Amino acid sequence: MALINPHINFNGNAEEAFNFYKSVFGGEFANITRFKDLSIPENPIAEHEANKIMHIALPIGKNVLMGNDVPERMGRVNENENRSKIAVSAESKEEADRIFTGLTDGGSIEVPMNESPWGSFFGMFRDKYGIEWMVDFDPKHKGTV
């Protein structure tokens, strides 16, 4: 079965956001590449963007959460837009609560964690970086969407 691995664009705070995500999900980064690592004379990187993230990857279970900073020359990411949400399927109610509580720190809750009308334990929010998440535990489908 194919895996879906979300990729998020940031306006210069990808590293901060991914350290936050790592503090909630645990694990280690599989990759961190900075723009300076790819600088060549034909494509120089602005000095103030040299340490920004070109690619970062955090394995979460069998999936990978990826992201990058968008270079200024490519425009800005609208952090208030209604982006697609990242859906997390927890393996237990306790795990769902822990992830929801961790990721909502500094964010805004749209739907508090609670029993849903469709029989799962569900919550929805925007984290402090503007990324929208849904956390779900469905006892009928442990760990699957």
Side-chain angles (χ1 to χ4, degrees):
M1 180 56 106
L3 297 175
I4 295 176
N5 298 304
H7 187 280
I8 311 168
N9 293 312
F10 292 88
N11 288 321
N13 59 347
E15 186 167 15
E16 176 187 339
F18 269 74
N19 279 320
F20 174 68
Y21 300 148
K22 180 180 168 185
S23 76
V24 173
F25 289 105
E28 296 298 325
F29 295 122
N31 181 289
I32 299 177
T33 304
R34 298 182 187 281
F35 285 108
K36 68 181 179 184
D37 298 332
L38 302 173
S39 183
I40 56 174
E42 299 81 34
N43 188 25
I45 303 298
E47 188 174 324
H48 69 281
E49 292 189 315
N51 282 319
K52 298 293 183 191
I53 301 295
M54 196 293 253
H55 179 74
I56 190 166
L58 178 63
I60 301 172
K62 294 180 180 180
N63 301 289
V64 180
L65 180 63
M66 297 175 282
N68 68 281
D69 289 312
V70 176
E72 289 175 6
R73 71 179 186 271
M74 295 179 73
R76 303 276 298 162
V77 174
N78 181 350
E79 293 174 347
N80 293 316
E81 71 183 3
N82 189 11
R83 300 186 231 189
S84 298
K85 291 175 173 52
I86 298 174
V88 176
S89 297
E91 293 186 355
S92 68
K93 194 172 184 178
E94 295 76 22
E95 182 183 47
D97 260 335
R98 180 186 62 76
I99 291 168
F100 185 88
T101 300
L103 290 176
T104 56
D105 183 23
S108 59
I109 297 172
E110 188 175 333
V111 177
M113 285 303 291
N114 209 339
E115 300 299 325
S116 73
W118 55 88
S120 70
F121 188 59
F122 176 84
M124 191 164 53
F125 58 94
R126 182 183 297 261
D127 72 22
K128 62 185 172 184
Y129 301 101
I131 305 303
E132 296 182 63
W133 296 79
M134 296 183 298
V135 176
D136 183 73
F137 167 66
D138 187 340
K140 298 181 298 286
H141 305 101
K142 285 188 175 188
T144 64
V145 177

